[in-house]
Amino acid sequence: MKILYIHQYFHTPSEPGGTRSYWISRELIRRGHDVVMVTSTNKFHPQPGVEMVEGIKVIYIKNEYSNYMSKLQKVKSFCSFLNKAIGEAKKEDNVDIVYATSTPLTVGAVAMRLKSAKGWPYVFEVRDLWPEFPIQIGAIRNKFIIGILRKLEKDIYQKANHIVALSPGMRDGVVAAGIPADKVSMIPNMSKPDEFYPRPHNHKIAEEFGVDLSKFNIIHFGSMGVANGLDYILNTAEICQHMDINDVEFLFLGDGATLPELQKMSEGKNLRNVKFLGNHEMKTVSEIVNLCDLSITSFKNLPILQTNSPNKLFDSLSAGKPIVVNSAGWTKDLVEKENCGFFVNPDSPQDFVDKIKLYKGNTEILKTWAENARNLSESVYDKSILSRQVAEVIERHYTNESD
């Protein structure tokens, strides 16, 4: 079977960013299928063209995108990729099925157009509920544009042969748009137990990045977008500093549109317990996370963000780190039910401070949370398990289409 995979932001483990599509592609190849990935150029692959990446035929389309772009620039980037991706995809012969993963929503439009023009069935993967996500964070306010996007969303869902949603809330959002529940599978983001795992501290890395191993280190790693609400962590750090809680440090690892603002805010508050460590490949991220005592997955207190399926949470599970979440959605249910961390009030940095004070010296509970996190990553969320589930969805719906 030949699978055309559309992902505007495809990354391999040697590049910063999410790697879900890489692991799914590798599983499909392992099962004997051909995978053609259509994606954008990036700083690691700046030139358009075709590359073979571990058996994946990757078509890099010249298309600029950055978290630092204005709204108009981002819209232009989305539309540019849509048109170029359709053109490149049409050059492919003997495609059996298309797998298109958001965001943005326009990636689904690529698959929908290809189904109309070439008759190729498609499965659509929902990583965020668009347009609800940009509406709730205030990125889209124009009612006319919102109406167009809602119609596009529904059309993409209706014309898809099947939909994969990355969280229970996303699945519910798709069903709420009028899609039958049996047309939607929930397959969350993946843990990578062989990439993130507990091991002795790498003292060379600790020295290189200035991580003080004598302190209780709390890390946020990954995207630093508006949705993450990372001022919450800085406000927590400020309270700790005022209270002379000097054995706790907060580490930020990654990049995003709010990074300059966060750095400025930290400098303005003269926070001596905050470090920004940059954006790095997975191997380095794994080493730094391994040095830390607690991992926080932070989001603004908005209903739509309670549906998130964040990479950093599943990587933290793999790393065997106790997890803090401040979103009252399924991630809260997960860490509480599985006893691998705790929830903090997203509107109260003081609540976070109080729980840091309560738990940082409790080695027994921290060890229990860490062990439960690691076990969960291996038994439920391992990339080999979930990649196989995605592959089975694709195979099943190609078979159904062929019958």
Side-chain angles (χ1 to χ4, degrees):
M1 184 166 67
K2 182 174 178 179
I3 299 143
L4 186 71
Y5 204 132
I6 314 290
H7 185 185
Q8 189 163 337
Y9 314 117
F10 173 70
H11 296 288
T12 68
S14 64
E15 304 164 15
T19 53
R20 177 183 174 93
S21 292
Y22 168 84
W23 301 115
I24 293 171
S25 296
R26 293 288 299 151
E27 172 64 18
L28 289 165
I29 290 167
R30 190 191 69 78
R31 296 166 81 96
H33 304 304
D34 295 325
V35 178
V36 179
M37 178 70 63
V38 179
T39 190
S40 295
T41 51
N42 56 51
K43 69 178 181 179
F44 300 95
H45 302 274
Q47 298 302 319
V50 178
E51 296 182 31
M52 291 302 299
V53 179
E54 298 182 57
I56 310 166
K57 178 183 174 182
V58 184
I59 301 172
Y60 288 99
I61 295 170
K62 189 67 177 177
N63 190 66
E64 301 296 329
Y65 181 82
S66 165
N67 285 322
Y68 298 97
M69 285 179 168
S70 67
K71 292 178 188 177
L72 181 59
Q73 287 173 322
K74 288 180 179 180
V75 169
K76 287 181 178 178
S77 174
F78 298 158
C79 293
S80 171
F81 181 80
L82 187 157
N83 291 321
K84 291 177 181 178
I86 291 170
E88 288 296 326
K90 284 182 176 179
K91 297 175 185 177
E92 292 294 318
D93 296 322
N94 304 315
V95 171
D96 293 299
I97 194 166
V98 175
Y99 192 77
T101 182
S102 66
T103 56
L105 184 63
T106 43
V107 171
V110 175
M112 190 168 63
R113 291 272 295 276
L114 291 172
K115 184 172 187 177
S116 176
K118 305 286 284 188
W120 299 337
Y122 70 91
V123 175
F124 184 54
E125 181 177 87
V126 179
R127 294 190 180 211
D128 282 311
L129 287 171
W130 275 54
E132 195 58 34
F133 170 75
I135 291 169
Q136 287 199 24
I137 66 170
I140 301 175
R141 293 186 174 90
N142 185 290
K143 291 184 179 180
F144 178 72
I145 293 174
I146 289 172
I148 291 174
L149 290 174
R150 288 201 190 282
K151 184 178 186 308
L152 177 62
E153 175 195 32
K154 193 167 185 177
D155 286 347
I156 291 169
Y157 293 164
Q158 288 178 334
K159 293 178 182 178
N161 290 60
H162 198 73
I163 296 160
V164 172
L166 267 64
S167 75
M170 292 183 204
R171 178 188 57 204
D172 294 345
V174 173
V175 171
I179 305 304
D182 61 2
K183 191 179 176 178
V184 188
S185 297
M186 199 288 285
I187 306 175
N189 253 322
M190 306 168 179
S191 61
K192 301 181 275 290
D194 55 343
E195 302 285 347
F196 290 82
Y197 53 93
R199 68 251 198 211
H201 290 157
N202 186 326
H203 290 271
K204 183 179 177 181
I205 289 288
E207 183 178 354
E208 179 182 347
F209 288 94
V211 179
D212 186 344
L213 296 176
S214 70
K215 296 190 174 181
F216 190 80
N217 291 294
I218 301 171
I219 191 166
H220 165 90
F221 64 102
S223 59
M224 297 186 184
V226 174
N228 295 107
L230 298 178
D231 55 329
Y232 177 83
I233 301 176
L234 293 185
N235 290 332
T236 302
E238 182 180 26
I239 296 171
C240 284
Q241 187 164 290
H242 286 331
M243 295 178 67
D244 292 324
I245 304 173
N246 298 317
D247 58 347
V248 176
E249 286 203 329
F250 298 84
L251 310 180
F252 289 86
L253 187 63
D255 195 11
T258 66
L259 176 58
E261 178 185 335
L262 293 167
Q263 290 172 319
K264 185 176 180 181
M265 181 179 174
S266 179
E267 291 170 6
K269 293 177 179 290
N270 191 29
L271 297 179
R272 299 180 299 278
N273 55 0
V274 171
K275 288 187 172 78
F276 294 91
L277 305 184
N279 197 29
H280 304 279
E281 67 176 1
M282 185 184 298
K283 182 178 179 181
T284 303
V285 172
S286 176
E287 290 283 10
I288 296 171
V289 171
N290 186 60
L291 301 173
C292 298
D293 301 285
L294 206 63
S295 176
I296 178 167
T297 300
S298 174
F299 288 103
K300 279 183 172 292
N301 190 14
L302 295 172
I304 191 63
L305 298 178
Q306 296 175 13
T307 70
N308 270 349
S309 184
N311 282 310
K312 63 182 71 66
L313 184 145
F314 296 95
D315 289 339
S316 299
L317 291 175
S318 299
K321 297 301 168 185
I323 296 166
V324 185
V325 296
N326 66 350
S327 183
W330 82 291
T331 56
K332 175 180 183 290
D333 297 339
L334 185 152
V335 299
E336 292 182 342
K337 177 183 175 184
E338 303 296 341
N339 193 29
C340 58
F342 59 91
F343 170 78
V344 291
N345 185 334
D347 297 320
S348 173
Q350 183 64 55
D351 182 45
F352 192 7
V353 174
D354 292 342
K355 286 174 180 170
I356 291 170
K357 290 169 60 183
L358 179 64
Y359 296 126
K360 67 183 174 68
N362 191 331
T363 55
E364 184 176 341
I365 195 167
L366 290 172
K367 182 182 178 183
T368 296
W369 286 339
E371 290 174 347
N372 289 345
R374 178 66 184 179
N375 290 338
L376 192 60
S377 79
E378 294 176 316
S379 62
V380 179
Y381 296 112
D382 189 307
K383 65 181 186 301
S384 62
I385 298 171
L386 300 185
S387 292
R388 184 167 63 248
Q389 291 179 14
V390 174
E392 289 169 353
V393 166
I394 294 171
E395 290 170 343
R396 184 165 66 250
H397 288 282
Y398 166 67
T399 302
N400 290 345
E401 185 72 15
S402 302
D403 290 345

